[in-house]
Amino acid sequence: MKKIVISLGGSVLVPSLESNNISRYVSVLKKIAGGCRIFIVVGGGGEARRYIRVARDLGAGEAAADELGIMVTRLNARLLIAGLGDAAYPRVAENYTEAREFAETGKIVVMGGITPAQTTDAVSAVLAESVGADLLINATSVNGIYSADPKKDAGAVKHERLTPQELLDIITGSRMDAGANTVLDIVAGKVIERSGIPLLVLDGRDPENLYRAIVEGTYTGTLVSKDSSNPLLS
Ligand code: UTP
């Protein structure tokens, strides 16, 4: 069975606690899980950034702020597990070995952050490498990787395809502070490059995009891979 790691941005899954997309994701994930092994890494979103900002204002250092961000990612992961019920392993995996152990049950494995100085992008890339995933999907709040931030620059152009090296070139130059909002963090870029696992960046605001990509092999987004074949159809 195909193994797929999905990085689910906190801003996509829990835009706010009250108006969250968890039940919409739960029904899509349950449908997908029938045909492949699913690992989900949940981000912290706006809530993590709020905690980080307040901690900084209180004089906390970057690593301490990161720890707070990690706690929020795990809270969001817990919410997703609550929604998935029996379909998910009941605990949030706190390291890659646990994730592999939990996967032995055949259930959906959910994790959040792991360690300071990175984001859940890095966690998802290392997890993909660790479990030997066929594909890594980053479900985020834009529909691909752009030449500039499309929310700020109207002239930004979407990359349909990138090689892992081109992705790294784009990432290098971005800053890496707690709560920083960049395309992907540098650890993720390096792991994607060394593992050769294809990465698909798509718009996760509509959970059906995930279904269309994984089950039907069609997507709108950016594919990062060494060759141009569609990893969803192989
Ligand atoms: P996210 O992965 O959610 O960051 O982690 P993000 O890029 O803001 O992602 P979205 O908005 O959810 O898509 C939130 C913060 O938690 C800390 C970092 O400070 C990060 O910015 N974090 C997360 C870590 O320090 N280590 C981790 O492994 C994960």
Side-chain angles (χ1 to χ4, degrees):
M1 232 187 211
K2 223 178 220 181
K3 288 184 200 153
I4 301 181
V5 172
I6 302 165
S7 176
L8 215 45
S11 47
V12 158
L13 189 68
V14 192
S16 78
L17 200 47
E18 289 73 21
S19 63
N20 64 71
N21 285 321
I22 295 179
S23 54
R24 288 171 70 213
Y25 261 104
V26 163
S27 55
V28 166
L29 291 170
K30 282 184 176 171
K31 278 193 282 177
I32 295 169
C36 55
R37 304 288 290 273
I38 300 282
F39 299 77
I40 300 166
V41 182
V42 180
E47 197 70 14
R49 278 190 282 277
R50 272 193 291 280
Y51 270 89
I52 287 166
R53 198 166 49 238
V54 173
R56 266 199 205 117
D57 289 347
L58 290 167
E62 290 301 299
D66 280 339
E67 296 280 4
L68 277 169
I70 292 168
M71 292 172 97
V72 177
T73 65
R74 289 179 176 167
L75 266 181
N76 286 343
R78 259 302 163 110
L79 272 183
L80 180 60
I81 288 175
L84 285 166
D86 276 352
Y89 190 83
R91 271 180 50 211
V92 177
E94 296 193 353
N95 58 59
Y96 304 108
T97 312
E98 272 188 2
R100 289 203 306 274
E101 278 172 17
F102 296 176
E104 295 290 312
T105 62
K107 306 240 180 201
I108 298 174
V109 175
V110 184
M111 61 192 305
I114 294 278
T115 189
Q118 59 174 36
T119 73
T120 47
D121 297 337
V123 176
S124 63
V126 177
L127 180 63
E129 192 175 52
S130 170
V131 302
D134 300 281
L135 177 66
L136 170 61
I137 296 181
N138 192 306
T140 182
S141 57
V142 281
N143 64 353
I145 299 173
Y146 282 74
S147 56
D149 185 345
K151 288 172 181 162
K152 294 180 187 152
D153 185 344
V157 178
K158 189 173 88 181
H159 298 286
E160 298 295 329
R161 248 211 88 233
L162 290 169
T163 63
Q165 187 56 52
E166 286 167 340
L167 174 69
L168 259 183
D169 292 344
I170 290 172
I171 294 169
T172 326
S174 312
R175 278 178 62 85
M176 181 62 222
D177 295 332
N181 210 353
T182 50
V183 179
L184 279 178
D185 72 46
I186 191 145
V187 181
K190 289 196 160 188
V191 176
I192 287 161
E193 204 272 331
R194 77 175 184 189
S195 71
I197 296 171
L199 163 73
L200 180 61
V201 179
L202 52 72
D203 190 343
R205 287 171 297 188
D206 180 2
E208 289 298 327
N209 286 338
L210 213 53
Y211 182 85
R212 280 190 277 271
I214 295 173
V215 179
E216 297 169 358
T218 56
Y219 64 87
T220 306
T222 300
L223 175 65
V224 181
S225 66
K226 286 185 172 144
D227 62 62
S228 58
S229 62
N230 183 342
L232 297 156
L233 299 176
S234 57

